Amino acid sequence: MKKNLRNILLMLLVLAVLGGAAFWLAKTPSGQEGEASSLPVEESSQPGETVMDLDEAEVESVEVRNQNGEFTAVPLTGGDSLRFTLKGYEGFGLENTYLTSNMQSLFHMTAAKSLGAQENLEAFGLAGSGEAEVTIRTKSGQETLVLGKNAAETSGRYVRKGDAVYIVTNVPANLYESMYVYFVKEVYTIADRVVETVDEEGNKTEEAGEDVMQRMALSGTRYPEEIVIERSSRANSTYLMTAPVTAESGNTAFNELAVSLKSLTASQVASADVSEKSLEEHGLLEPEARIQFTLNDSTHDLAVSAKDNEGNRYLLADSNGVIYQVANDQVSQWAETSVMGLRMSYIWIPNIKNVEKLTVTSEGDQVHTYQITRTKNEEKSTDSNIQYDLTIVDGSGSPVDYEEAYQPFYQKLISLAVFSGEEAAYGSGCALRAEYQYFEGGSDKVEFYPIEGQNRYAAMLNGQYTGQIRGSELEALLPLIP
């Protein structure tokens, strides 16, 4: 009996020793010194301790300093509710609601966990001014918060107020960034064109109409010769390139470019300093490309730098005092185009139904004249689309068959295409000249001159060089002259 009692006492003693060891092991840190995830910490309070609780009406300013700079948020005057803006940048486009929300999270801050005073503040990112420092000035004094790293053992960030360290879940990440995170990144948006129609009963309706580009001009180091495109009644495609050459421009590339200009949003704001020094630093003192345009009666002026190593560009827009960073694909359709990319290759394509007289001169002195009479086709015409039947006679008054002779020749003539806009030396003898006179008045002249040493011809429109065509195309046209 005594033996059993002794065994029971020994077992109780062993259990007491093991329990004590487990208790001390639980209190001993398992990690290495300097790691925030395993620092020996003492909880000085229960979760939910108030770190900051300020009367928002008492706040006069919030100063933020971090590795990306510093800025000061101040209350906006007027209005029913408290809103904040950036001091010194009140005139810029700012995300005031976003900024206000971030500021308010500082005024009402509750700890997820209180860690008390800590010796190794560097491990928490809280030594000195930490990773960010916030000074809240009120009418009665000021409060300072030091913001540190992400908490390793739970969600949130380390925050120091005085000597006390906390883990707080609602610390805005923007407080670690530059002030430009609060700038509006939408550069502009152009509204759809509104078209009003009136039915037979006088009822008016409005709907979105086709976008209209009134004018566009490209310049910059990429475009030493300014490229100008305008809306014109002279162009079958509606759009006419007027510089550096004259040509139809309503091609697919131009239409896609116009669509890309409807709106623009930057990746970020890079600077609110547009001094000469800042422009030079961002490659905008001499922009690589600049576009000035009027689309749906909305006028804008954009300029971009060359691409950086990551394919981004810096951008100026409408003299709004901001330098943006944009992805290249946001601007490439106008920043990386060319004359040949934006023009139709045709030299001139007047509508066959608009030409009253066509004079063709070939081989220097062979003149062929075609006088056209047009008659309205009542069966095919509508109020908005009048159709004509054409009657053609040559210089001697003899009839020329429209479908068998005149139309095939005319279509071949206007389809002669420029394949290169490169300048070339050409002779003085004109190989072919076509002169158009129109029913509505006015005229145009297209000429072709042989390029020296090559089977190519220089194409001229109204005396202006417009590019080169292949000799084989002109040679195929000559036998078709009626």
mmCIF file with all atom_site columns, all heavy atoms in Angstrom, residues 429-440:
data_model
loop_
_atom_site.group_PDB
_atom_site.id
_atom_site.type_symbol
_atom_site.label_atom_id
_atom_site.label_alt_id
_atom_site.label_comp_id
_atom_site.label_asym_id
_atom_site.label_entity_id
_atom_site.label_seq_id
_atom_site.pdbx_PDB_ins_code
_atom_site.Cartn_x
_atom_site.Cartn_y
_atom_site.Cartn_z
_atom_site.occupancy
_atom_site.B_iso_or_equiv
_atom_site.pdbx_formal_charge
_atom_site.auth_seq_id
_atom_site.auth_comp_id
_atom_site.auth_asym_id
_atom_site.auth_atom_id
_atom_site.pdbx_PDB_model_num
ATOM 1   N N   . GLY A 1 429 ? 9.949   66.278 -118.669 1.00 0.00 ? 429 GLY A N   1
ATOM 2   C CA  . GLY A 1 429 ? 8.934   65.875 -119.643 1.00 0.00 ? 429 GLY A CA  1
ATOM 3   C C   . GLY A 1 429 ? 7.798   65.122 -118.977 1.00 0.00 ? 429 GLY A C   1
ATOM 4   O O   . GLY A 1 429 ? 8.015   64.081 -118.337 1.00 0.00 ? 429 GLY A O   1
ATOM 5   N N   . CYS A 1 430 ? 6.580   65.622 -119.114 1.00 0.00 ? 430 CYS A N   1
ATOM 6   C CA  . CYS A 1 430 ? 5.415   64.994 -118.482 1.00 0.00 ? 430 CYS A CA  1
ATOM 7   C C   . CYS A 1 430 ? 4.971   63.795 -119.318 1.00 0.00 ? 430 CYS A C   1
ATOM 8   O O   . CYS A 1 430 ? 4.669   63.933 -120.509 1.00 0.00 ? 430 CYS A O   1
ATOM 9   C CB  . CYS A 1 430 ? 4.291   66.000 -118.359 1.00 0.00 ? 430 CYS A CB  1
ATOM 10  S SG  . CYS A 1 430 ? 2.808   65.349 -117.558 1.00 0.00 ? 430 CYS A SG  1
ATOM 11  N N   . ALA A 1 431 ? 4.919   62.612 -118.678 1.00 0.00 ? 431 ALA A N   1
ATOM 12  C CA  . ALA A 1 431 ? 4.508   61.406 -119.387 1.00 0.00 ? 431 ALA A CA  1
ATOM 13  C C   . ALA A 1 431 ? 2.997   61.333 -119.536 1.00 0.00 ? 431 ALA A C   1
ATOM 14  O O   . ALA A 1 431 ? 2.486   60.808 -120.534 1.00 0.00 ? 431 ALA A O   1
ATOM 15  C CB  . ALA A 1 431 ? 5.027   60.168 -118.651 1.00 0.00 ? 431 ALA A CB  1
ATOM 16  N N   . LEU A 1 432 ? 2.256   61.848 -118.543 1.00 0.00 ? 432 LEU A N   1
ATOM 17  C CA  . LEU A 1 432 ? 0.800   61.826 -118.599 1.00 0.00 ? 432 LEU A CA  1
ATOM 18  C C   . LEU A 1 432 ? 0.266   62.948 -117.721 1.00 0.00 ? 432 LEU A C   1
ATOM 19  O O   . LEU A 1 432 ? 0.763   63.190 -116.628 1.00 0.00 ? 432 LEU A O   1
ATOM 20  C CB  . LEU A 1 432 ? 0.254   60.475 -118.120 1.00 0.00 ? 432 LEU A CB  1
ATOM 21  C CG  . LEU A 1 432 ? -1.269  60.320 -118.190 1.00 0.00 ? 432 LEU A CG  1
ATOM 22  C CD1 . LEU A 1 432 ? -1.701  60.119 -119.643 1.00 0.00 ? 432 LEU A CD1 1
ATOM 23  C CD2 . LEU A 1 432 ? -1.758  59.162 -117.328 1.00 0.00 ? 432 LEU A CD2 1
ATOM 24  N N   . ARG A 1 433 ? -0.767  63.614 -118.230 1.00 0.00 ? 433 ARG A N   1
ATOM 25  C CA  . ARG A 1 433 ? -1.422  64.680 -117.468 1.00 0.00 ? 433 ARG A CA  1
ATOM 26  C C   . ARG A 1 433 ? -2.926  64.476 -117.552 1.00 0.00 ? 433 ARG A C   1
ATOM 27  O O   . ARG A 1 433 ? -3.468  64.242 -118.640 1.00 0.00 ? 433 ARG A O   1
ATOM 28  C CB  . ARG A 1 433 ? -1.050  66.051 -118.002 1.00 0.00 ? 433 ARG A CB  1
ATOM 29  C CG  . ARG A 1 433 ? -1.754  67.208 -117.278 1.00 0.00 ? 433 ARG A CG  1
ATOM 30  C CD  . ARG A 1 433 ? -1.408  68.563 -117.896 1.00 0.00 ? 433 ARG A CD  1
ATOM 31  N NE  . ARG A 1 433 ? 0.007   68.865 -117.755 1.00 0.00 ? 433 ARG A NE  1
ATOM 32  C CZ  . ARG A 1 433 ? 0.874   68.887 -118.748 1.00 0.00 ? 433 ARG A CZ  1
ATOM 33  N NH1 . ARG A 1 433 ? 0.449   68.631 -120.001 1.00 0.00 ? 433 ARG A NH1 1
ATOM 34  N NH2 . ARG A 1 433 ? 2.141   69.167 -118.551 1.00 0.00 ? 433 ARG A NH2 1
ATOM 35  N N   . ALA A 1 434 ? -3.614  64.540 -116.389 1.00 0.00 ? 434 ALA A N   1
ATOM 36  C CA  . ALA A 1 434 ? -5.069  64.439 -116.344 1.00 0.00 ? 434 ALA A CA  1
ATOM 37  C C   . ALA A 1 434 ? -5.617  65.675 -115.644 1.00 0.00 ? 434 ALA A C   1
ATOM 38  O O   . ALA A 1 434 ? -5.239  65.976 -114.513 1.00 0.00 ? 434 ALA A O   1
ATOM 39  C CB  . ALA A 1 434 ? -5.509  63.178 -115.613 1.00 0.00 ? 434 ALA A CB  1
ATOM 40  N N   . GLU A 1 435 ? -6.494  66.402 -116.348 1.00 0.00 ? 435 GLU A N   1
ATOM 41  C CA  . GLU A 1 435 ? -7.078  67.620 -115.789 1.00 0.00 ? 435 GLU A CA  1
ATOM 42  C C   . GLU A 1 435 ? -8.582  67.430 -115.637 1.00 0.00 ? 435 GLU A C   1
ATOM 43  O O   . GLU A 1 435 ? -9.276  67.087 -116.590 1.00 0.00 ? 435 GLU A O   1
ATOM 44  C CB  . GLU A 1 435 ? -6.785  68.807 -116.720 1.00 0.00 ? 435 GLU A CB  1
ATOM 45  C CG  . GLU A 1 435 ? -5.292  69.080 -116.885 1.00 0.00 ? 435 GLU A CG  1
ATOM 46  C CD  . GLU A 1 435 ? -5.010  70.138 -117.947 1.00 0.00 ? 435 GLU A CD  1
ATOM 47  O OE1 . GLU A 1 435 ? -5.024  71.334 -117.605 1.00 0.00 ? 435 GLU A OE1 1
ATOM 48  O OE2 . GLU A 1 435 ? -4.801  69.732 -119.113 1.00 0.00 ? 435 GLU A OE2 1
ATOM 49  N N   . TYR A 1 436 ? -9.048  67.646 -114.378 1.00 0.00 ? 436 TYR A N   1
ATOM 50  C CA  . TYR A 1 436 ? -10.461 67.457 -114.057 1.00 0.00 ? 436 TYR A CA  1
ATOM 51  C C   . TYR A 1 436 ? -11.136 68.820 -113.868 1.00 0.00 ? 436 TYR A C   1
ATOM 52  O O   . TYR A 1 436 ? -10.630 69.682 -113.153 1.00 0.00 ? 436 TYR A O   1
ATOM 53  C CB  . TYR A 1 436 ? -10.614 66.670 -112.747 1.00 0.00 ? 436 TYR A CB  1
ATOM 54  C CG  . TYR A 1 436 ? -9.919  65.321 -112.713 1.00 0.00 ? 436 TYR A CG  1
ATOM 55  C CD1 . TYR A 1 436 ? -8.599  65.192 -112.264 1.00 0.00 ? 436 TYR A CD1 1
ATOM 56  C CD2 . TYR A 1 436 ? -10.594 64.171 -113.101 1.00 0.00 ? 436 TYR A CD2 1
ATOM 57  C CE1 . TYR A 1 436 ? -7.978  63.965 -112.207 1.00 0.00 ? 436 TYR A CE1 1
ATOM 58  C CE2 . TYR A 1 436 ? -9.982  62.932 -113.046 1.00 0.00 ? 436 TYR A CE2 1
ATOM 59  C CZ  . TYR A 1 436 ? -8.662  62.836 -112.600 1.00 0.00 ? 436 TYR A CZ  1
ATOM 60  O OH  . TYR A 1 436 ? -8.046  61.602 -112.544 1.00 0.00 ? 436 TYR A OH  1
ATOM 61  N N   . GLN A 1 437 ? -12.282 68.987 -114.516 1.00 0.00 ? 437 GLN A N   1
ATOM 62  C CA  . GLN A 1 437 ? -13.125 70.155 -114.278 1.00 0.00 ? 437 GLN A CA  1
ATOM 63  C C   . GLN A 1 437 ? -14.489 69.650 -113.799 1.00 0.00 ? 437 GLN A C   1
ATOM 64  O O   . GLN A 1 437 ? -15.016 68.671 -114.346 1.00 0.00 ? 437 GLN A O   1
ATOM 65  C CB  . GLN A 1 437 ? -13.284 70.994 -115.555 1.00 0.00 ? 437 GLN A CB  1
ATOM 66  C CG  . GLN A 1 437 ? -11.987 71.673 -115.986 1.00 0.00 ? 437 GLN A CG  1
ATOM 67  C CD  . GLN A 1 437 ? -12.157 72.501 -117.249 1.00 0.00 ? 437 GLN A CD  1
ATOM 68  O OE1 . GLN A 1 437 ? -12.748 72.029 -118.229 1.00 0.00 ? 437 GLN A OE1 1
ATOM 69  N NE2 . GLN A 1 437 ? -11.660 73.724 -117.227 1.00 0.00 ? 437 GLN A NE2 1
ATOM 70  N N   . TYR A 1 438 ? -15.054 70.323 -112.772 1.00 0.00 ? 438 TYR A N   1
ATOM 71  C CA  . TYR A 1 438 ? -16.218 69.776 -112.075 1.00 0.00 ? 438 TYR A CA  1
ATOM 72  C C   . TYR A 1 438 ? -17.501 70.553 -112.369 1.00 0.00 ? 438 TYR A C   1
ATOM 73  O O   . TYR A 1 438 ? -17.461 71.753 -112.654 1.00 0.00 ? 438 TYR A O   1
ATOM 74  C CB  . TYR A 1 438 ? -15.957 69.755 -110.570 1.00 0.00 ? 438 TYR A CB  1
ATOM 75  C CG  . TYR A 1 438 ? -14.677 69.035 -110.205 1.00 0.00 ? 438 TYR A CG  1
ATOM 76  C CD1 . TYR A 1 438 ? -13.562 69.732 -109.724 1.00 0.00 ? 438 TYR A CD1 1
ATOM 77  C CD2 . TYR A 1 438 ? -14.576 67.655 -110.361 1.00 0.00 ? 438 TYR A CD2 1
ATOM 78  C CE1 . TYR A 1 438 ? -12.394 69.074 -109.390 1.00 0.00 ? 438 TYR A CE1 1
ATOM 79  C CE2 . TYR A 1 438 ? -13.404 66.990 -110.042 1.00 0.00 ? 438 TYR A CE2 1
ATOM 80  C CZ  . TYR A 1 438 ? -12.309 67.694 -109.551 1.00 0.00 ? 438 TYR A CZ  1
ATOM 81  O OH  . TYR A 1 438 ? -11.151 67.038 -109.245 1.00 0.00 ? 438 TYR A OH  1
ATOM 82  N N   . PHE A 1 439 ? -18.623 69.852 -112.285 1.00 0.00 ? 439 PHE A N   1
ATOM 83  C CA  . PHE A 1 439 ? -19.925 70.494 -112.481 1.00 0.00 ? 439 PHE A CA  1
ATOM 84  C C   . PHE A 1 439 ? -20.150 71.625 -111.473 1.00 0.00 ? 439 PHE A C   1
ATOM 85  O O   . PHE A 1 439 ? -20.750 72.646 -111.793 1.00 0.00 ? 439 PHE A O   1
ATOM 86  C CB  . PHE A 1 439 ? -21.051 69.458 -112.330 1.00 0.00 ? 439 PHE A CB  1
ATOM 87  C CG  . PHE A 1 439 ? -21.169 68.517 -113.494 1.00 0.00 ? 439 PHE A CG  1
ATOM 88  C CD1 . PHE A 1 439 ? -20.715 67.208 -113.405 1.00 0.00 ? 439 PHE A CD1 1
ATOM 89  C CD2 . PHE A 1 439 ? -21.739 68.944 -114.701 1.00 0.00 ? 439 PHE A CD2 1
ATOM 90  C CE1 . PHE A 1 439 ? -20.831 66.341 -114.481 1.00 0.00 ? 439 PHE A CE1 1
ATOM 91  C CE2 . PHE A 1 439 ? -21.864 68.081 -115.780 1.00 0.00 ? 439 PHE A CE2 1
ATOM 92  C CZ  . PHE A 1 439 ? -21.405 66.774 -115.673 1.00 0.00 ? 439 PHE A CZ  1
ATOM 93  N N   . GLU A 1 440 ? -19.669 71.436 -110.263 1.00 0.00 ? 440 GLU A N   1
ATOM 94  C CA  . GLU A 1 440 ? -19.864 72.461 -109.221 1.00 0.00 ? 440 GLU A CA  1
ATOM 95  C C   . GLU A 1 440 ? -18.809 73.552 -109.273 1.00 0.00 ? 440 GLU A C   1
ATOM 96  O O   . GLU A 1 440 ? -18.800 74.459 -108.441 1.00 0.00 ? 440 GLU A O   1
ATOM 97  C CB  . GLU A 1 440 ? -19.839 71.804 -107.832 1.00 0.00 ? 440 GLU A CB  1
ATOM 98  C CG  . GLU A 1 440 ? -21.060 70.953 -107.518 1.00 0.00 ? 440 GLU A CG  1
ATOM 99  C CD  . GLU A 1 440 ? -20.994 69.580 -108.183 1.00 0.00 ? 440 GLU A CD  1
ATOM 100 O OE1 . GLU A 1 440 ? -19.896 69.212 -108.651 1.00 0.00 ? 440 GLU A OE1 1
ATOM 101 O OE2 . GLU A 1 440 ? -22.030 68.898 -108.240 1.00 0.00 ? 440 GLU A OE2 1
#
